[in-house]
Every structure is written in structure tokens, then in C-alpha cells.
Amino acid sequence: MPTSKRFVGLDVTRGFGIMVMLLIHAMIQQIGDYDDSIFIPHVKSMHPVALILLAPLVLLGLWGTAFPLIASITISVQMLDLSKTHPDRLGKYVLGRFFTGFILIVLNQIAMTLFEARFFKEGKFFLPEFNIRYGSNIIDAIAFTGVITSFCLYIYLIIRKKIDKKKQNLEIVIFFLVLIIIWFVFTPFLIPIGRQVYSWADEHSMFFLKYIVSKFVLGRFTLFPVVGFGFLGMIYGLFLHNEYSFKKIFIFSLILTIVCVIIFLIFLFIDSSFFNDFASLNAPIQLQILNLGLIPHLILAFSRGPDFSPVEIRHKRASRTTWMRRYSIISLTAFSIATYIGEWIFHFFTEIWGSSIDRSGEIPIISWNFFQIAAFLITVMAFWELLVRLWEKIDYKGSLEWFMIVILSKIVQRKSSKLNVEKILYEPNKPLVVEEEEL
């Protein structure tokens, strides 16, 4: 049972997710040249056994929704802590989530603008253009989901603040399960309506409305249905906050998985054509439902050792994950700049081997062989591994996470304005002296 408010398993899952993202982006964005259709012929020509083996990788490519889920788990734990110790501060906390989300989105916009900018052209110097980005990327999803989920929990806590703890726990679970169902059921109907509103707002120059609506209905991580994953995160945050046993959390997860798999199979039996869009910008809602039931098991798998194992060996298991948790510290930064770094590395490889795509035929296909693809992917991962280790020497100064802490520390007038790398990476690796003495 966890004894620390920082759950190592969440950091491990986040770090693992970043590593997978780097590989998936390198495949789709660089090797695949952002053309999702290129992968479909390759998949269709595969042997059924190969397809079965490939299925987990396909799902991992859609598991970016794990990040809003993990962020919501942390928010849930923090808010439930506040509801016990300083309930009068809950409103300020939700307002803080709004400012945090706003700062995160602005920093992401700035980072992407700078990395995309061409400062020199034809011998002249140009200032980068700051363009408003419509549609929802993963940073938008994390920021907006954090605001929406914290507000929903806040509303519940102020309305039902005087009820029995056990009853409150049950009600919170039911409350967010109902929100998940509503969110997923209405997503297929609300997205087309939202896109009409988006077009109308564009025609009438209502740019703020256009911007907000775009986050819900356009992009890889549309808030319909991604916020549903955030609602699920609030439930798991409750479990961790109340120190539920691993067995109880696993049973809940297993039931959730069974329900989601059954719903997925029903869709698959009725019409399996949606699976052809597995690599498209808008992931099919059927696959998102399946992911809703599977992602929690990934978190549990990474949490079992460092958070739920016997206290005397917990630090040993946490120490084995240090290398992965480095990626967790700069997860937001990786979301913002990984594509551009991948492009720079990819350009070097294309100078040697030429284009990775053969477009001479009617259907474009991947022209690089297995060893060429493997060499590029290994180089990308080697670059990031070197980067996170060297960057650690200066506490990741200059990262988005560092800028956020500096800005927020100025707003709330905190003395410290640095990432606590020691606490995040190495404190979990040390024996819990107090607990060992008690034993």
C-alpha cells in the first residue's frame, strides 16, 4: 500500500509513454511522412499471426490518452488531500489549474513557434510568427482535461462535503463513471455538431469560440472523448488517496476491462471497417473505448513494484526505474519539441539513404528496409537518452517544466523556482528509514 503522496508508478508510466511516443512519432511522422495511409497496405498484407503480435504496438500508438489520465490521478489525490486539510482552498486550487493550463499552452505555442521558425532566408533575418494553433494536441488535452476534471470534482466536494467518508467514496466513483458513460455516448454526436459550430465561428470571425470549440472536435487528442480518460483518472486518484489495496484496484480494473472489451467486440461484430482507421488523425471511438479498459493495467503494472510491494524492498524496485523516470520529468518538453528533433535526425538519414517513401506506384509504400528503419529509431532513442542524462546535470533548466515552475513561483511568490530532481528521481530509491524503524 502506498505510503508516499508521490506515486512512483505514475512517473514510470509517464516515462515509458514518452519513450513509446518518441518511437511512434519517428515511425509515423518521419518515416511515414505524416501519411497514415502508407501503413494500411503493409498491415493488410501481414500474416494473421503477425497482426496479432503487432496489435499491442498499434494500441500503444493510441495510448497518448494515458497522459491526461495520469495528470487527473495526481489532481484527484491533491484535491482529496485539500478537502481534508484545507477545504477552503479548493476553489483556489481549481483556479490554479486554470492558470497552470493557460501557462502550459502558451509555453507550448512559443516552443513550437521557435522550433518551426526559419530565422534566416535569402540572407535576411526574420522574426518568427506566432500563429494560434487550432485543434487539440496532447498538451492541450492535458491542460483542458485538468481544468474540466478538477472543476467537476470541486463541484461534487462542495455540494456533498458533509456526508460519511465511505458514502462519499462510493458516490465519487459513481459520479465519474456516469460522466465517463455520458462523455463517450455523446462524443459521436457532438463532434459533427462541434465542427459545424467551428465553421460558423470561423465565418463570423468569432476566433475565441473557434479556438475553444476546436479543442473539443479537431486534432489528434480531441477533448471528445479524451476528457473521459481524465474522469477515469479521478477515480484512480481516489483509490490511491484512500490507500486501497492493489487487489481491490486490480479487481475494479478487471471489471472495467471486461466491460470495455465486450463493448469493443460488439462494435467489431457489427462493423469492423473502423479498424482501417487505426492510424488516422481521429482515432475511432471504438478503439478509444478499448483503450479506456486497458490503459489502467499499464499503470498498475508499473506501480506494483515501487508503490505496492513490501516496504523493505520498495526502494530497490523503484531504483530500477530511474532511467525511465528521467523521461517523465521532461514529458511536456518532449511533447513540444520531439517532432522537430526527429526531423533534424531524419534529414541526416535521408541525405544518406534517400526518401523513406516510394511514391512511384499508385499506392505509396515504405522503401527503407528493416535495418535502415531500426538504425534511425535507435539513433533517435540514443539521442534522447544522452540528452536526458546530460540535461539532468543542470536540473533540466530551460525545459517547459522549468519555465512553468519559474513563472508559477513568481505568481505565488515561492522562494524555490527549480525542479526538484533529487526528490523525483532519487528519493524513491532510498530505504524508508522511518517505516523500517516502526517495523
Side-chain angles (χ1 to χ4, degrees):
M1 188 177 296
T3 58
S4 172
K5 290 304 179 183
R6 185 167 197 96
F7 297 95
V8 178
L10 299 182
D11 290 334
V12 180
T13 308
R14 194 183 292 109
F16 172 78
I18 293 298
M19 296 173 70
V20 171
M21 180 207 72
L22 294 173
L23 290 171
I24 295 296
H25 282 195
M27 280 294 300
I28 295 177
Q29 296 178 350
Q30 279 82 58
I31 295 175
D33 194 26
Y34 293 88
D35 189 349
D36 305 324
S37 63
I38 289 174
F39 296 93
I40 295 176
H42 292 276
V43 171
K44 286 184 175 180
S45 64
M46 285 184 177
H47 190 275
V49 175
L51 280 174
I52 294 173
L53 296 175
L54 183 65
L57 293 177
V58 173
L59 288 174
L60 282 174
L62 301 175
W63 278 17
T65 48
F67 294 98
L69 192 156
I70 293 171
S72 294
I73 291 176
T74 302
I75 291 170
S76 178
V77 171
Q78 292 172 347
M79 290 188 69
L80 291 171
D81 275 342
L82 274 180
S83 69
K84 282 185 175 182
T85 57
H86 301 92
D88 55 309
R89 297 183 186 176
L90 283 170
K92 291 181 179 179
Y93 179 89
V94 176
L95 186 62
R97 294 309 313 177
F98 173 82
F99 282 114
T100 300
F102 176 76
I103 293 169
L104 176 57
I105 290 172
V106 171
L107 288 175
N108 180 48
Q109 292 267 0
I110 292 173
M112 295 177 72
T113 298
L114 292 176
F115 272 82
E116 285 181 350
R118 295 182 63 183
F119 292 97
F120 295 96
K121 185 179 179 182
E122 298 178 354
K124 296 181 180 179
F125 176 77
F126 292 87
L127 291 174
E129 295 182 358
F130 188 84
N131 297 317
I132 300 298
R133 299 175 186 274
Y134 297 97
S136 181
N137 59 30
I138 186 61
I139 295 289
D140 296 316
I142 292 171
F144 277 87
T145 299
V147 173
I148 293 171
T149 55
S150 62
F151 179 75
C152 289
L153 182 56
Y154 171 69
I155 293 298
Y156 171 83
L157 290 174
I158 62 174
I159 292 176
R160 303 289 287 170
K161 59 183 177 182
K162 294 184 178 180
I163 66 171
D164 176 73
K165 180 183 176 182
K166 288 186 178 181
K167 186 177 180 181
Q168 185 186 69
N169 293 341
L170 179 61
E171 283 190 0
I172 290 175
V173 172
I174 295 174
F175 175 65
F176 281 105
L177 281 176
V178 170
L179 286 180
I180 291 170
I181 293 170
I182 292 173
W183 206 263
F184 273 86
V185 167
F186 283 95
T187 284
F189 305 102
L190 292 177
I191 285 182
I193 295 173
R195 289 176 178 172
Q196 291 178 9
V197 174
Y198 172 85
S199 298
W200 179 86
D202 184 41
E203 292 171 3
H204 292 79
S205 300
M206 301 178 68
F207 297 113
F208 180 73
L209 176 62
K210 175 185 173 183
Y211 178 82
I212 296 298
V213 172
S214 73
K215 303 303 177 183
F216 284 85
V217 299
L218 297 176
R220 178 65 167 170
F221 295 95
T222 55
L223 300 183
F224 292 126
V226 172
V227 173
F229 289 86
F231 291 147
L232 183 62
M234 302 307 278
I235 295 174
Y236 279 87
L238 170 73
F239 293 158
L240 295 180
H241 173 266
N242 291 322
E243 299 185 347
Y244 281 30
S245 67
F246 183 86
K247 182 179 180 180
K248 287 183 179 180
I249 301 175
F250 177 77
I251 290 174
F252 174 87
S253 303
L254 188 60
I255 294 172
L256 176 68
T257 302
I258 292 172
V259 172
C260 291
V261 168
I262 290 174
I263 294 173
F264 172 77
L265 291 176
I266 291 173
F267 277 116
L268 193 64
F269 178 78
I270 294 173
D271 183 7
S272 62
S273 62
F274 68 85
F275 203 78
N276 293 329
D277 298 325
F278 72 91
S280 66
L281 180 64
N282 300 305
I285 187 69
Q286 297 90 338
L287 287 175
Q288 295 286 32
I289 292 173
L290 180 63
N291 289 337
L292 187 73
L294 296 179
I295 290 176
H297 289 283
L298 180 70
I299 298 173
L300 288 178
F302 285 126
S303 299
R304 183 69 179 91
D307 290 322
F308 290 92
S309 59
V311 68
E312 62 271 14
I313 62 172
R314 194 174 300 168
H315 66 283
K316 294 179 181 179
R317 296 186 175 181
S319 64
R320 297 170 187 167
T321 66
T322 305
W323 65 279
M324 213 180 302
R325 286 185 281 119
R326 287 191 182 94
Y327 291 86
S328 174
I329 293 181
I330 60 163
S331 58
L332 301 176
T333 306
F335 288 138
S336 293
I337 68 174
T339 295
Y340 308 108
I341 290 177
E343 290 288 351
W344 296 340
I345 299 174
F346 183 66
H347 178 73
F348 171 78
F349 277 82
T350 56
E351 289 294 317
I352 300 174
W353 291 328
S355 174
S356 60
I357 305 297
D358 180 3
R359 299 184 184 276
S360 59
E362 293 183 5
I363 301 175
I365 60 173
I366 297 175
S367 59
W368 281 8
N369 60 40
F370 171 81
F371 295 102
Q372 289 172 315
I373 293 174
F376 171 64
L377 296 179
I378 291 171
T379 302
V380 169
M381 293 309 302
F383 173 87
W384 278 95
E385 183 65 19
L386 181 63
L387 178 65
V388 295
R389 288 181 180 273
L390 292 177
W391 210 347
E392 182 188 342
K393 305 298 182 183
I394 57 171
D395 293 332
Y396 300 103
K397 287 183 174 67
S399 65
L400 252 67
E401 289 79 358
W402 178 80
F403 274 112
M404 283 191 65
I405 289 177
V406 170
I407 294 171
L408 289 172
S409 65
K410 298 298 182 183
I411 294 174
V412 301
Q413 296 182 340
R414 290 178 184 168
K415 293 181 179 180
S416 176
S417 59
K418 68 176 185 177
L419 279 167
N420 197 335
V421 177
E422 174 67 26
K423 181 177 180 181
I424 297 172
L425 280 184
Y426 299 108
E427 191 172 292
N429 303 347
K430 300 175 182 177
L432 298 176
V433 178
V434 174
E435 290 189 356
E436 289 181 348
E437 288 176 355
E438 291 176 355
L439 290 174

